[in-house]
Amino acid sequence: PMEARPEAASGGRAPGAAQTHRPAHEPDHEAEPELEPEPALREQVARALVEKGVALGALGRSAGAIAIYDEVVSRFAGAAEPGLREPVAKALFNRGFRLGVLGRSTDAIAAYEEVVDRFGSADDQTLRELVAEALLNKGFRLGMIGRAEDALVAYDDLLSRFSGPSGERLRDRKR
């Protein structure tokens, strides 16, 4: 298993998508400092936090990475912007991965279950892949703690969601 990473190059936008912003040298006198940043900036902040968590994990600082992933979830899980769903899903998934690294399988399983609960009905391809990976990792962790029957349920859930006609796109993209 590996941690999920944001797509930094595209910034979550389609290539060539128009951006509306002021040049860096032009002050925005209308902005109120107490307000949250505009949605595109919130997305970049969320993605940067996920990347920071990945970097901390790569340095073996799993507890620090988990704290960052928790921050992403607490700040952005209730956000209305569709572009924040992916970083939240990745933060939850990566939280599960890092908890597993620390040997906290039960907590890791709960994190993977949260990915499935929140994003299990998503149409977005990246979210569907994270749900599939969360179910796979959940099954692995359940097996690690001697819950083989529950692991089979997790694997069957993955197979029922993604191995039929609705799962064709997921399988084809992985090849």
Side-chain angles (χ1 to χ4, degrees), residues 21-35:
H21 64 278
R22 294 181 187 273
H25 64 279
E26 190 176 311
D28 183 359
H29 296 291
E30 300 171 21
E32 295 181 45
E34 297 85 30
L35 298 177

Side-chain angles (χ1 to χ4, degrees), residues 102-124:
L102 294 175
R104 295 171 51 191
S105 289
T106 303
D107 293 331
I109 291 163
Y112 294 135
E113 287 173 345
E114 192 170 353
V115 172
V116 176
D117 291 345
R118 286 182 185 245
F119 303 103
S121 62
D123 292 328
D124 178 84

Side-chain angles (χ1 to χ4, degrees), residues 149-171:
E149 288 295 326
D150 292 331
L152 289 174
V153 171
Y155 296 137
D156 285 343
D157 189 4
L158 187 154
L159 293 170
S160 69
R161 287 173 188 259
F162 301 111
S163 66
S166 65
E168 292 297 325
R169 291 181 313 187
L170 183 65
R171 284 199 314 276

